[in-house]
Amino acid sequence: MVQGDYDEVVALWRTTEGVGLSEGDDQAGIEQYLRRNPGLCFVAHDSTGKLIGAVLCGHDGRRGYMYHLAVAQNARNQGLGRKLVESCLTALRLAGIQKCTIFVFAHNAEGKKFWHKLDWKERADLQPMQVSISTAPPK
């Protein structure tokens, strides 16, 4: 994925059920993510050049993370999602990262089914928490 893919990637994300976008997914945020994680985010195109798949991937030096995996509805069940995930995991492995985490909405049954099929495990012992830094008052 490169910065020039942004418009097509966001269009795909917006039409993919289960992908949640936030203020950090604006063009500046994604460009910053791509600069921080070179060679770790991927897109896929069909034979006409149309973007049909995308995934963000990065790491913090210890653990890898994937976000916003999406495959166009008409390109599903052909192994493209699996290939995008494998590309990310290979890139993370080459960077010395041994584990990767994803976040799936609790109500996203289709997404959970996909990840379970790839042998990803749910972590019942962890509960995600977050704060919006732009609105959180300093303590």
Side-chain angles (χ1 to χ4, degrees), residues 59-125:
H59 67 84
D60 61 13
R62 277 180 67 254
R63 299 284 185 255
Y65 300 90
M66 270 189 261
Y67 305 95
H68 300 348
L69 172 66
V71 174
Q73 189 70 36
N74 64 345
R76 292 189 181 165
N77 299 310
Q78 300 173 30
L80 182 56
R82 177 184 297 269
K83 185 169 177 132
L84 288 166
V85 170
E86 288 171 356
S87 295
C88 289
L89 295 178
T90 297
L92 288 170
R93 192 174 302 112
L94 291 171
I97 305 300
Q98 297 178 1
K99 289 188 178 186
C100 186
T101 299
I102 56 167
F103 298 96
V104 180
F105 285 117
H107 65 275
N108 185 354
E110 188 76 19
K112 286 183 181 183
K113 181 180 170 184
F114 170 81
W115 291 106
H116 283 284
K117 189 174 167 183
L118 297 183
D119 292 327
W120 287 62
K121 309 292 184 236
E122 291 185 48
R123 295 280 311 259
D125 59 326

